[in-house]
Amino acid sequence: MLQPALPARLVDRPALTALLDAAAAHKVVVVKAGPGWGKTTSVAAWAATRRACWLGVGSADVSLERLSRLLLRALRQRVPGLPGELVTTTAQGAETVAALICGLLDVHLDEPVVLVVDEVGALAPGGDGARLIEALCLRSPELFSLVLLTRGELGFAVPACEINSGQLAFGEQEVAALVGADAAGMVLARTGGWPAAVALHREALGCAPRSGDLLGQLAAEVLAAEPESTRELLRAIAVLGRVSTGLCVALGFADVRETLPDLARRGLVSGDGREWSVLEPIGALLQGDGEVRLRAAVFCERTGAHAEALRHLVEAERWDLVAQLLLRRDEQIVAGGDADAVLAAVERLEIDDSRLYLVWGFARQHKGDWLGALHCYEQAGEHGVKLSWRMGQLHALTGRLDRAVELFERTVFDDVASLDEVRLLSLAVRWFREIGRNDEARDLADRCATAAKRCGGHTAFAWSSKAFGLLAGYDGDRVAFEMHYGQAVDRAKRAGNQVLELAIRSERAWCLANEGGPADALAEIDEVVVLGRQAGLTGHEQECLTTRALANVRLGRFDDALADIGGAGWSRAGLVIRAEVHRRRGEPGQAQAFLDEALAVPGADPLAKATLARIMAREDAEAARRLAEEAVAASQVMRVREVPALLARGWVAVLAGDRETARADAAIARAVAGRRGDRAGLADALQLAAVTSADRKALLAEAVKVWRAAGDPVGAATAELALARLTGVDVTKFENELREHGVRTDVPMADVLGTGVPRSARIVVRTFGGFQVLRDGVAVPSALWQSKKARDLLKILAANRGRPVPRPQLVELLWPDDLSDRTANRLSVLLSTVRTVLSVPGLPADAEPLVADRDTVALDLSLVDLDVAAFLGAAHLALTAHRRGEQAALSLLTEADELYLGEFLAEEPYEQWAIQVREEVRGRHTAVLRALVQLVRDPDQQVGYLIRMLELDRYDEGAHVRLVKALRAAGRHGEARRRYQVYLEQMHEIGVRPAEPDLFGSRPSGILRAG
């Protein structure tokens, strides 16, 4: 029989060709697969380029005489010297015929020949035909080999190399060659690479008629050849979607351990040995009943596959059983990363049991929908400790510790210890500790340990260890801290509770960021975020971003810190972190605005008062001293804040001339920070000691080393500048280095640089980052203003930047609803107050900062240093130079950028006269930053400018794209990917399809697709 003709369109399959070549080194190769797997086509394509001959078995009852004649005719294609037939065929048996043929081949063969026998499985087992082929396989001469093609098992056993359907299946590239790259993934998923099914899909995509019918007919043909027991097994698998071998056994299929691998070899199922599924075209013909799903659900829950059990019950639409399973297993399902499955199930239920709101809220909480979770909890009613720990945890995450504590105090505990009780007690330890109820927190930790022992199990002990780890962290006991948190993580892993493991590790990272391990905290929190996203658990990400921002502040990475805290939402901790960034950058106005808001939250962090004290020390020494004392007192309860509180009191004392207090606080802070491994605190304590010691240079040099060891380049450069100012060497170098980090070096605050800032004799009006007036370098005391209207008047004049403002316009802006004749006198009183505020000794008699005549009022900018006017003038000059391509453009742009210290009059968000100037300033600063990005070549510098552009306008698409590219150019690939995701999210928020949706050469994210 001649070799079959090849199809007009043949897919190149080099991998399969190589596999056949390797198999052909054996004497016998068996290619076994069901209909449509391309056995004949694949082997024919391979044989066409080899010295092969082809024999097709006609039927199961073919006679020995006819089969031998067909065999000789096929062999003569490559061995012409063989006779046309054997005269002894009818008289001898199959073994004799095989021996004669092998003898003839041995004589006539002078080079290798391959005999392909197609449909050899059709030969009747034990018949003459089967025995002939078997004998040929066993007796074949040296240069002769056979390739046997069969749909099922052979009717005889011979040593052979086997190729099955899995090796014949098309891969993605081969599918793409037939149906195109766009459809390849879909077709491969539906067909499992079944060649005939892929070909029919190609016809369907080309709108060929009846291709779907043909695919169904092909699948039906395959099923018809299988026994009923196999069809029942396939039906169960098709209904369930995917199954394990154990589940099949539980469903009553006892011999599946042998059956499933055989079905996989024949291409009826696919799997990896652990899970199995039926090919879609075959599964489409199989129908089952819900009973199979119910039995599968029971097995899955018993074996811990709770999410799979839920899936089966939902597919069976047994909503009563779905509700019962959720009430029993919602925590395990969410902890396993299947919160979406819980949400989908609950949303299809008719909720007639209020406890299901606890289930719904828990899943929403761990998907980051805190508002939705709170709404669910509020509908759950009173259900004891379970509601209290879930709802209390949510209150704490949103910064409402007072509500969490109140909820705890209302809770009625059961007599029998439960895991819910252990959780609630463990969480309450942190709530009470953070609001300063230290003794109660310790009592709660002891109660938690007792309840954990009564309850038993890894999860309970993990919660208990977590509580003691937190207390150790607050107390600064690093050894106990590491021990308890290590035990907690280990216990959570043993319990298989990923939600708890992530929560413990997040809390540990927060403690590390506060103390001496910000770099360790970053590594830990980045891993937690990745693990959470992989598991579909994103409810903890806001807390993670807050921790990462805190760690970045401790490492001097201010832009990164602001970016992280911007994604974390508004919380008390976030406000304090923002304030600390602006304090270290030398932007007291912006820092104070955030701290004022943070201090309005009940149970405020002592760090907020400590930071505010350092900011206010030059402006209001008494208020700063009071705040610092309060911070120190609070830190005796919240020990984690002891070092920053002592340092705040010490620095405030330095500016007040109280060197003894400063020296004592520096010594204590130095000892505590050293004991806890808090390098940032130790470095700042060394700087405080330096300004009160005769050995100033040595202490500052030591501070430089500690800052470097802490990984904080800003801290190191600050200490180096302070040292340089003592020696007069390299002052400009370190000032420039700090400016590159966005840090001002001339702001009088309570720190190592502020103590050495000389006082100026000029009148300064600051509007950036907060309104302030300084005379001789000292802020005007609040009592001198007499009224808020006087401040408003000066702000309006500042907004006009020296331009005369008509008196009627001032009256309208200051008293919009007052039509009386008294407003003119009131304005005169305010002008007198402003003159007093702006008066400084030593000015010439005719020098008047406030110029007023009968019609208009203005500021004399030759006598008043007005920051907004200076910035706009410098920006105009710099941008003009940039447009003209002048060499001085870069330095002019840098100087203009340094003059921008924050938003214009940020405390006046709604006044139209302020909004107009604010938008003008913001637009001019954005133009300056954009020009700087174009001129600088260092990717790291570009990154800094671009991040600040996005602080001004987070929807600036061009800045987003350039930032991602700049980060990649700087080798900061992890940051680039995070920023890329932020870019997609921001465009999605405003309904804009990203111009560059595939910067990393990968498929668009879900956010992009949704947009």
Side-chain angles (χ1 to χ4, degrees):
M1 178 183 289
L2 294 177
Q3 182 173 308
L6 297 174
R9 182 171 184 178
L10 187 66
V11 178
D12 185 28
R13 308 195 65 187
L16 181 57
T17 299
L19 182 65
L20 286 165
D21 283 337
H26 296 77
K27 299 296 291 180
V28 181
V29 178
V30 177
V31 181
K32 182 168 65 175
W37 283 95
K39 301 183 299 297
T40 301
T41 301
S42 299
V43 175
W46 170 79
T49 59
R50 272 74 178 168
R51 196 162 183 265
C53 44
W54 197 277
L55 171 64
V57 177
S59 64
D61 57 354
V62 63
S63 67
L64 180 60
E65 180 181 2
R66 175 169 172 73
L67 183 58
S68 63
R69 190 180 299 117
L70 292 173
L71 177 58
L72 285 171
R73 187 180 303 170
L75 291 171
R76 281 167 59 87
Q77 298 170 33
R78 297 298 180 186
V79 191
L82 294 177
E85 59 182 287
L86 299 173
V87 295
T88 59
T89 301
T90 58
Q92 304 295 329
E95 290 78 5
T96 302
V97 172
L100 288 171
I101 293 175
C102 289
L104 289 169
L105 289 172
D106 201 21
V107 171
H108 290 281
L109 282 179
D110 54 5
E111 57 182 316
V113 168
V114 177
L115 173 65
V116 180
V117 185
D118 197 2
E119 294 297 344
V120 69
L123 294 171
D128 287 338
R131 289 190 292 110
L132 174 59
I133 301 300
E134 179 183 13
L136 283 176
C137 293
L138 295 173
R139 298 184 180 187
S140 60
E142 182 66 28
L143 297 177
F144 184 66
S145 58
L146 295 95
V147 176
L148 310 180
L149 311 186
T150 179
R151 293 188 178 188
E153 298 297 329
L154 296 175
F156 51 85
V158 292
C161 174
E162 183 175 302
I163 293 176
N164 58 40
S165 60
Q167 295 158 307
L168 292 171
F170 283 157
E172 187 167 1
Q173 290 184 347
E174 293 159 338
V175 174
L178 281 171
V179 303
D182 292 340
M186 178 272 292
V187 172
L188 184 60
R190 293 193 62 188
T191 65
W194 190 4
V198 173
L200 290 171
H201 268 285
R202 176 173 65 85
E203 295 177 13
L205 291 169
C207 298
R210 299 184 65 249
S211 57
D213 294 341
L214 291 173
L215 183 57
Q217 292 171 16
L218 177 62
E221 181 185 349
V222 172
L223 285 174
E226 298 297 328
E228 180 59 28
S229 60
T230 299
R231 289 198 295 271
E232 283 298 318
L233 173 60
L234 293 174
R235 184 175 294 109
I237 299 173
V239 169
L240 298 177
R242 59 182 184 275
V243 299
S244 65
T245 303
L247 175 54
C248 289
V249 173
L251 293 174
F253 301 101
D255 58 348
V256 290
R257 287 184 173 81
E258 295 77 28
T259 305
L260 285 171
D262 180 62
L263 293 176
R265 285 192 294 271
R266 293 193 284 126
L268 295 173
V269 300
S270 60
D272 56 6
R274 295 186 300 273
E275 287 196 333
W276 308 89
S277 59
V278 177
L279 295 187
E280 184 175 324
I282 295 175
L285 298 178
L286 297 164
Q287 295 182 350
D289 55 44
E291 183 63 29
V292 172
R293 288 198 178 278
L294 297 184
R295 289 158 59 198
V298 171
F299 172 82
C300 289
E301 184 178 4
R302 190 172 67 244
T303 56
H306 307 301
E308 276 296 289
L310 177 63
R311 182 174 71 85
H312 292 313
L313 293 176
V314 169
E315 290 292 335
E317 297 187 346
R318 287 298 303 272
W319 304 116
D320 55 335
L321 299 179
V322 167
Q324 293 172 28
L325 178 66
L326 288 174
L327 290 172
R328 288 195 305 270
R329 303 294 188 184
D330 69 322
E331 291 175 33
Q332 292 95 325
I333 297 173
V334 171
D338 291 289
D340 285 328
V342 174
L343 290 174
V346 174
E347 287 166 4
R348 296 180 66 180
L349 289 173
E350 291 186 9
I351 297 179
D352 55 6
D353 185 336
S354 61
R355 292 178 300 167
L356 286 169
Y357 285 109
L358 284 177
V359 174
W360 197 355
F362 190 67
R364 294 178 78 168
Q365 176 179 333
H366 286 281
K367 291 298 292 182
D369 181 8
W370 291 354
L371 186 61
L374 186 59
H375 178 68
C376 288
Y377 290 151
E378 287 171 346
Q379 297 180 76
E382 290 294 337
H383 290 290
V385 292
K386 184 183 284 287
L387 174 64
S388 293
W389 80 259
R390 292 188 179 187
M391 196 171 188
Q393 185 180 46
L394 190 57
H395 283 317
L397 286 171
T398 54
R400 305 300 301 270
L401 286 174
D402 54 332
R403 289 195 177 183
V405 169
E406 180 185 349
L407 184 65
F408 175 85
E409 292 178 331
R410 291 203 318 263
T411 301
V412 177
F413 288 87
D414 299 325
D415 294 333
V416 179
S418 66
L419 185 56
D420 287 323
E421 179 182 348
V422 175
R423 291 187 180 106
L424 178 57
L425 291 168
S426 179
L427 291 168
V429 169
R430 181 168 182 176
W431 306 338
F432 278 77
R433 193 68 173 82
E434 289 199 4
I435 65 170
R437 293 165 67 172
N438 188 32
D439 292 339
E440 290 168 274
R442 293 192 179 281
D443 290 341
L444 290 172
D446 291 335
R447 284 177 60 188
C448 182
T450 301
K453 289 178 183 177
R454 292 170 59 197
C455 182
H458 292 304
T459 300
F461 285 111
W463 281 99
S464 176
S465 296
K466 171 180 173 292
F468 284 101
L470 179 76
L471 291 178
Y474 273 102
D475 292 340
D477 187 344
R478 189 65 177 269
V479 174
F481 166 82
E482 294 290 354
M483 179 189 72
H484 287 301
Y485 271 110
Q487 291 174 349
V489 171
D490 180 61
R491 292 282 195 170
K493 287 181 176 178
R494 290 189 190 184
N497 191 327
Q498 197 164 16
V499 169
L500 178 57
E501 180 191 348
L502 294 176
I504 293 168
R505 294 182 65 179
S506 297
E507 189 171 88
R508 178 179 181 273
W510 181 84
C511 293
L512 287 171
N514 273 289
E515 289 288 333
D520 293 337
L522 275 183
E524 179 93 3
I525 214 67
D526 284 343
E527 189 172 341
V528 167
V529 169
V530 170
L531 290 174
R533 288 179 177 176
Q534 289 174 348
L537 301 170
T538 56
H540 64 293
E541 282 201 13
Q542 291 189 27
E543 191 174 11
C544 288
L545 288 172
T546 300
T547 299
R548 190 159 65 188
L550 175 60
N552 276 319
V553 172
R554 300 297 295 265
L555 294 170
R557 303 172 185 174
F558 301 140
D559 290 335
D560 290 341
L562 289 176
D564 286 331
I565 208 63
W570 292 88
S571 65
R572 183 185 67 189
L575 292 168
V576 177
I577 289 169
R578 284 182 171 92
E580 181 65 4
V581 168
H582 291 299
R583 182 192 74 79
R584 292 194 64 189
R585 275 182 165 175
E587 299 164 347
Q590 294 185 71
Q592 185 166 350
F594 288 121
L595 290 170
D596 288 343
E597 191 171 349
L599 287 168
V601 178
D605 190 333
L607 182 59
K609 291 185 177 182
T611 307
L612 184 57
R614 296 180 70 160
I615 290 168
M616 295 178 59
R618 274 287 181 93
E619 178 181 349
D620 191 336
E622 180 55 30
R625 185 196 63 76
R626 187 171 58 254
L627 283 168
E629 291 289 356
E630 290 174 1
V632 170
S635 73
Q636 299 310 296
V637 174
M638 196 174 181
R639 289 283 184 180
V640 72
R641 300 304 189 208
E642 185 176 10
V643 171
L646 288 167
L647 290 171
R649 187 171 68 180
W651 283 114
V652 169
V654 166
L655 291 184
D658 183 359
R659 299 174 68 84
E660 289 303 317
T661 297
R663 191 178 293 113
D665 284 340
I668 299 172
R670 192 172 167 184
V672 174
R675 184 174 68 250
R676 295 180 180 173
D678 179 2
R679 289 173 174 161
L682 176 59
D684 202 11
L686 288 167
Q687 292 173 162
L688 178 59
V691 300
T692 62
S693 170
D695 198 11
R696 179 174 295 188
K697 292 181 182 178
L699 288 168
L700 287 174
E702 186 179 353
V704 171
K705 293 179 181 178
V706 177
W707 280 121
R708 287 176 179 164
D712 187 338
V714 175
T718 299
E720 285 173 318
L721 175 57
L723 186 58
R725 284 175 174 174
L726 290 177
T727 62
V729 178
D730 288 335
V731 173
T732 302
K733 170 188 172 183
F734 294 118
E735 286 179 340
N736 290 337
E737 183 177 342
L738 286 170
R739 288 193 188 102
E740 289 176 3
H741 289 286
V743 177
R744 285 195 62 174
T745 61
D746 59 346
V747 179
M749 286 192 297
D751 56 33
V752 72
L753 296 183
T755 55
V757 174
R759 293 176 179 259
S760 170
R762 300 181 61 191
I763 302 167
V764 178
V765 176
R766 291 180 180 164
T767 60
F768 287 163
F771 183 70
Q772 192 177 38
V773 177
L774 295 94
R775 301 180 305 185
D776 291 334
V778 178
V780 172
S782 55
L784 196 61
W785 286 100
Q786 297 183 18
S787 74
K788 180 179 180 298
K789 291 291 185 184
R791 294 169 64 92
D792 292 343
L793 172 59
L794 185 52
K795 289 178 183 180
I796 294 169
L797 296 175
N800 282 273
R801 307 192 297 279
R803 297 190 296 266
V805 184
R807 285 177 178 254
Q809 183 179 344
L810 290 173
V811 168
E812 175 64 24
L813 292 173
L814 291 167
W815 299 280
D817 300 321
D818 193 340
L819 302 179
S820 67
D821 296 333
R822 295 174 297 175
T823 52
N825 290 333
R826 289 177 179 173
L827 179 60
S828 297
V829 172
L830 293 185
L831 289 173
S832 176
T833 300
V834 172
R835 284 193 182 93
T836 303
V837 167
L838 297 179
S839 64
V840 292
L843 286 179
D846 58 346
E848 179 56 67
L850 185 67
V851 180
D853 56 28
R854 294 179 57 187
D855 300 317
T856 63
V857 181
L859 288 177
D860 184 348
L861 298 188
S862 66
L863 298 174
V864 175
D865 183 356
L866 180 61
D867 55 0
V868 63
F871 166 74
L872 290 172
H876 174 74
L877 181 64
L879 291 170
T880 301
H882 175 57
R883 285 194 298 271
R884 294 174 179 172
E886 297 177 6
Q887 290 186 347
L890 180 58
S891 61
L892 291 172
L893 287 166
T894 303
E895 291 173 6
D897 176 47
E898 290 173 356
L899 291 174
Y900 181 83
L901 301 179
E903 285 206 336
F904 175 77
L905 294 179
E907 71 275 18
E908 300 289 351
Y910 306 116
E911 296 292 349
Q912 191 60 39
W913 50 267
I915 292 172
Q916 292 172 351
V917 180
R918 188 178 302 123
E919 291 299 325
E920 179 184 0
V921 170
R922 183 181 293 168
R924 197 69 61 86
H925 188 221
T926 300
V928 168
L929 293 172
R930 188 172 286 114
L932 283 167
V933 170
Q934 295 172 8
L935 292 180
V936 299
R937 293 291 175 263
D938 181 6
D940 286 314
Q941 285 185 279
Q942 290 180 344
V943 166
Y945 291 133
L946 288 164
I947 287 176
R948 293 169 63 200
M949 283 176 66
L950 290 172
E951 288 176 13
L952 295 172
D953 180 4
R954 62 180 183 152
Y955 300 114
D956 186 334
E957 183 170 14
H960 276 295
V961 173
R962 293 201 66 167
L963 176 57
V964 173
K965 293 179 177 178
L967 286 166
R968 293 176 69 181
R972 295 158 67 176
H973 300 292
E975 294 175 64
R977 286 191 177 275
R978 286 198 297 272
R979 284 291 185 174
Y980 173 56
Q981 189 63 30
V982 171
Y983 160 50
L984 296 180
E985 291 170 356
Q986 299 290 7
M987 295 303 99
H988 174 62
E989 279 187 22
I990 58 175
V992 172
R993 186 169 186 82
E996 298 200 38
D998 201 16
L999 290 174
F1000 286 90
S1002 59
R1003 297 181 184 275
S1005 72
I1007 287 174
L1008 175 58
R1009 290 195 295 271

